[in-house]
Amino acid sequence: MPWCPKCKNEYVDGVKTCVDCGCDLVGSLEEMEKEGLIFGTQEEMEELLSFLSCNGIKSGELRFDETEDLYELFVSPEEKGRASRYSGIFQKEKNLREKKKAINNNSFEDMQEELAETEEEAEEEAVEAAPAGPVYEAASQKAENFKSGAYTLLGAGIVGMILLICLLAGVLPIQLNGSTKYLTGGVMGALFLVFIVMGVLSLKSSRQFEGKAKEESALKEELRRWCDENITAEAVDASIPDLPDAEEARYFRRTERIRAMIS
């Protein structure tokens, strides 16, 4: 039996539109349980629906409200909190894009100042949302990067030096005469020699980081063992005074507490 998602009236089969509020009927109570998130034009709502879907919000649904002559985006109650946060991010990014486009049609100086303020606000929000401290890079990853760079430099330096020797010895069909021969040989020889030296240094650094990687691995195992033995949901919640009721707020308080316990 079809239902009206707005006034919750039930209709007989064959009826497509609610006579009271004019909105389209839905085919089941499960669809009706979705909650409205935001109104807008069809283009705006379709773009937002696509953005939410890409970020894991799968319950999104567009419905046309004839009374308001607008489209409304509905999501399930379970995903409404996340959908609301992603919707705010979407609106901020959209406003930023619109201001960038407006630079071409308005005073460059005025719009540049507004754009700088908007980007500064966005950066501040990103910093507040991101964890404190520099981005972590494992010693094993650093060792792999240094080793890859070392092999590349050594390969380029050794192969280049061999080709240069063949060139100066006249083995290659390219012929250099007079001062050009010695100038080219000196410059290219110095360059390939630098490649070889840098490759050796990079290889040495990779071995140092391989030793640190073993220490990091042992520390990680010790941290995991300690967390398994000491960090439980009950212990974390019990150590947080005035734990909020909202699950989103609890998440951040719990994360801060767990980080402090591990530190």
Side-chain angles (χ1 to χ4, degrees):
M1 302 291 287
W3 294 77
C4 175
K6 205 163 189 179
C7 59
K8 307 298 187 294
N9 288 331
E10 183 181 11
Y11 289 84
V12 297
D13 291 334
V15 180
K16 302 296 184 181
T17 305
C18 177
V19 296
D20 294 329
C21 48
C23 61
D24 295 335
L25 303 182
V26 295
S28 65
L29 288 173
E30 182 179 351
E31 292 183 49
M32 191 181 68
E33 290 175 355
K34 294 183 179 180
E35 299 179 359
L37 180 66
I38 189 173
F39 279 100
T41 64
Q42 182 179 3
E43 182 180 359
E44 292 173 343
M45 294 300 99
E46 288 179 349
E47 187 177 1
L48 176 57
L49 178 61
S50 176
F51 178 78
L52 295 178
S53 178
C54 292
N55 285 277
I57 307 297
K58 303 301 183 183
S59 63
E61 177 187 355
L62 285 184
R63 299 174 187 171
F64 181 67
D65 191 331
E66 294 184 357
T67 305
E68 302 291 339
D69 193 25
L70 289 172
Y71 282 82
E72 185 173 8
L73 178 60
F74 284 80
V75 294
S76 65
E78 294 79 10
E79 293 185 326
K80 187 173 183 180
R82 290 175 55 224
S84 179
R85 292 195 296 273
Y86 283 127
S87 177
I89 295 174
F90 174 81
Q91 289 298 129
K92 290 178 182 178
E93 292 293 332
K94 183 179 179 182
N95 293 338
L96 183 58
R97 291 197 303 268
E98 290 176 352
K99 286 190 176 182
K100 287 182 177 180
K101 290 180 181 179
I103 292 178
N104 298 327
N105 303 321
N106 295 281
S107 171
F108 179 79
E109 292 77 8
D110 295 339
M111 292 306 303
Q112 190 72 11
E113 183 177 352
E114 293 182 11
L115 180 60
E117 293 177 357
T118 305
E119 291 180 338
E120 185 177 352
E121 293 175 359
E123 290 176 359
E124 291 177 355
E125 292 178 359
V127 170
E128 292 176 358
V135 177
Y136 171 75
E137 184 179 4
S140 58
Q141 183 63 40
K142 292 181 179 179
E144 188 64 28
N145 292 340
F146 273 108
K147 184 181 294 185
S148 176
Y151 290 155
T152 301
L153 289 169
L154 286 173
I158 293 174
V159 172
M161 194 67 74
I162 293 174
L163 291 175
L164 180 61
I165 293 174
C166 293
L167 176 64
L168 296 178
V171 177
L172 297 179
I174 302 175
Q175 297 295 328
L176 298 177
N177 300 317
S179 60
T180 303
K181 178 178 181 179
Y182 296 106
L183 179 61
T184 302
V187 173
M188 299 302 294
L191 179 62
F192 293 137
L193 182 61
V194 170
F195 283 174
I196 294 174
V197 172
M198 291 177 64
V200 172
L201 294 177
S202 296
L203 191 61
K204 182 179 179 181
S205 298
S206 71
R207 291 175 179 172
Q208 292 177 348
F209 280 108
E210 285 176 355
K212 293 182 180 180
K214 295 179 180 179
E215 297 177 0
E216 280 191 357
S217 178
L219 178 59
K220 288 179 182 178
E221 291 301 323
E222 183 180 354
L223 283 172
R224 290 193 183 98
R225 178 189 58 77
W226 185 89
C227 290
D228 291 340
E229 295 176 355
N230 296 275
I231 297 183
T232 62
E234 295 78 10
V236 172
D237 287 350
S239 63
I240 301 176
D242 301 327
L243 189 64
D245 296 331
E247 190 62 30
E248 294 84 357
R250 287 189 174 198
Y251 168 81
F252 293 105
R253 294 289 297 276
R254 286 167 175 163
T255 303
E256 293 174 359
R257 181 55 186 157
I258 292 174
R259 184 182 296 115
M261 294 171 69
I262 294 177
S263 297

